[in-house]
Amino acid sequence: MARRDAALPSESGRRPAHVYLVGAGSGDVELLTLKAARLLQEADAVVYDRLVGEEVLALIPAGRERYDVGKARGHHSVPQAEIGALLVRLAGEGKSVVRLKGGDPGVFGRMGEELAVLAEAGVGAEIVPGITAASAACAAMGIPLTDRAHAQQLRLVTAQLCRGDGEPDWSTLARRDETLIIYMGLAKIDAICRGLRRGGLPDDWPVMLVANASLPEQASLVGTLTDMPAKLAAEPLPSPCLVVVGSVVSMGAASPARRNGRGDLAPLS
Ligand code: SAH
C-alpha cells in the first residue's frame, strides 16, 4: 500500500513546502519515536524549544541549520509570530523543516497557532506525536495515569488558568474519580492546593510533584493538598515540573519503579 508522505518531491522534482511538527518527548533520548529520530537526521533545518534535551539535539547531523527559539518562563525569547515566519521562510526555500517541541507538540505547545500560520501560507504540515510530560512523570514514578479503582478519567490543564485574577472553577477540577495533571504549575502550588481543597477535595488528598521527569536529574515530592506547599518550600524543585493530583499517586509506594529514576524495572524472579 502506498505510504502517504506530503513531503515527497513533486513531478517537477521540487519538494512542496512542508514542515514536520515533531514531539521530542520528555527528555530521555530513548523516549524519542523512531520517526522523530529519522526526521531529525534527514532535516535540512531544525527549529527547537528550550525543553528539548541535549541528547536529542545531538542527533542532528553537523552542518544542518539549527534555530534555538527557546522560551524562558514569562519571557518569549523569540515571539511566536517570528517563529511562524521563520518556518514559512525555511519551508519556502525547499528545505525539509523539523519544528521540534518538548513532550508532545499538541499538549500546551502552541502548535495550533503554528499550524494556522503554515496553512495560511500554503505550507503543508505533518504532526509527529511525542511522549508528553504527564506520561513520562507517572511512568517514572511507577504509577498509572488512570486506574479502574482510582481514576476513570484524566484531565490535563495548564496553571495559566490561575493567571492574574482569573481563578478557575475549582469545584469542577476537584474530582475524586480523576487524575488531574497540571502543567506549568510549580510557581502556583499554593493557589492550586488551596483551590482544590476549597473545591471539595479532602485535606489529605494525594499530590505529587515531578521535576525533570525521565532525566537523570529527576526529582520528586509526594504529599497532600495540605502539606505540599510547605514540603516544596523546604525542598524546592527546579523547572520543568509537573503537578499530579489524584488517588493514583497513592499507588506509588509499592512500586519498584520508584527506586529507579529512569523507571527501569528489574526482572521478577
Ligand atoms: N509539550 C510539552 C509541555 C509544554 S508546557 C509536553 O507535552 O510535555 C511546559 C511544561 O511541561 C513545564 O512547565 C512542565 O510543567 C511540563 N514538563 C515538560 N517536560 C517536563 C519534564 N521532563 N518533567 C516534568 N515536567 C515537564
Side-chain angles (χ1 to χ4, degrees):
M1 199 170 74
R3 177 160 158 260
R4 196 189 64 79
D5 189 338
L8 285 178
S10 64
E11 275 165 23
S12 66
R14 196 175 147 79
R15 194 162 33 195
H18 195 81
V19 172
Y20 294 94
L21 297 146
V22 178
S26 54
D28 178 357
V29 69
E30 290 190 344
L31 292 181
L32 199 66
T33 61
L34 292 174
K35 186 162 190 171
R38 175 177 65 78
L39 289 171
L40 281 177
Q41 273 146 18
E42 291 173 0
D44 300 310
V46 181
V47 179
Y48 62 93
D49 281 338
R50 184 177 56 91
L51 281 177
V52 176
E54 283 304 318
E55 281 182 274
V56 174
L57 295 176
L59 296 176
I60 306 169
R64 306 292 169 83
E65 291 179 39
R66 296 157 66 121
Y67 299 86
D68 178 0
V69 294
K71 303 176 183 88
R73 188 162 68 91
H75 164 76
H76 292 205
S77 51
V78 176
Q80 194 61 41
E82 280 181 38
I83 296 175
L86 175 64
L87 296 175
V88 170
R89 176 174 67 76
L90 292 170
E93 290 167 1
K95 292 176 176 141
S96 166
V97 184
V98 166
R99 172 70 175 111
L100 190 62
K101 292 166 177 283
D104 183 278
V107 177
F108 306 124
R110 302 190 74 171
M111 186 182 77
E113 290 160 67
E114 291 176 17
L115 281 174
V117 171
L118 294 172
E120 172 93 353
V123 176
E126 182 176 334
I127 301 164
V128 180
I131 303 269
T132 190
S135 299
C138 288
M141 296 298 285
I143 62 168
L145 285 160
T146 65
D147 182 81
R148 266 154 46 115
H150 292 265
Q152 289 81 44
Q153 41 187 349
L154 169 67
R155 192 168 353 190
L156 308 183
V157 302
T158 162
Q160 300 294 335
L161 282 174
C162 316
R163 193 161 49 181
D165 303 333
E167 278 279 309
D169 181 352
W170 292 112
S171 62
T172 66
L173 291 172
R175 290 188 59 128
R176 295 176 196 224
D177 60 351
E178 85 174 18
T179 305
L180 175 66
I181 311 259
I182 305 167
Y183 286 70
M184 295 169 270
L186 186 61
K188 306 267 171 47
I189 196 69
D190 292 34
I192 290 167
C193 290
R194 207 177 332 112
L196 289 173
R197 287 163 72 191
R198 214 170 49 220
L201 285 179
D203 292 346
D204 62 353
W205 196 245
V207 186
M208 174 175 91
L209 302 186
V210 187
N212 289 311
S214 81
L215 289 162
E217 58 271 30
Q218 177 178 303
S220 60
L221 286 173
V222 177
T224 67
L225 288 177
T226 306
D227 66 18
M228 187 52 92
K231 279 193 172 181
L232 181 63
E235 216 179 308
L237 291 179
S239 269
C241 184
L242 203 69
V243 182
V244 181
V245 181
S247 139
V248 288
V249 170
S250 64
M251 298 173 70
S255 167
R258 285 166 73 91
R259 292 189 218 115
N260 181 322
R262 290 217 164 198
D264 302 327
L265 285 173
L268 295 171
S269 52

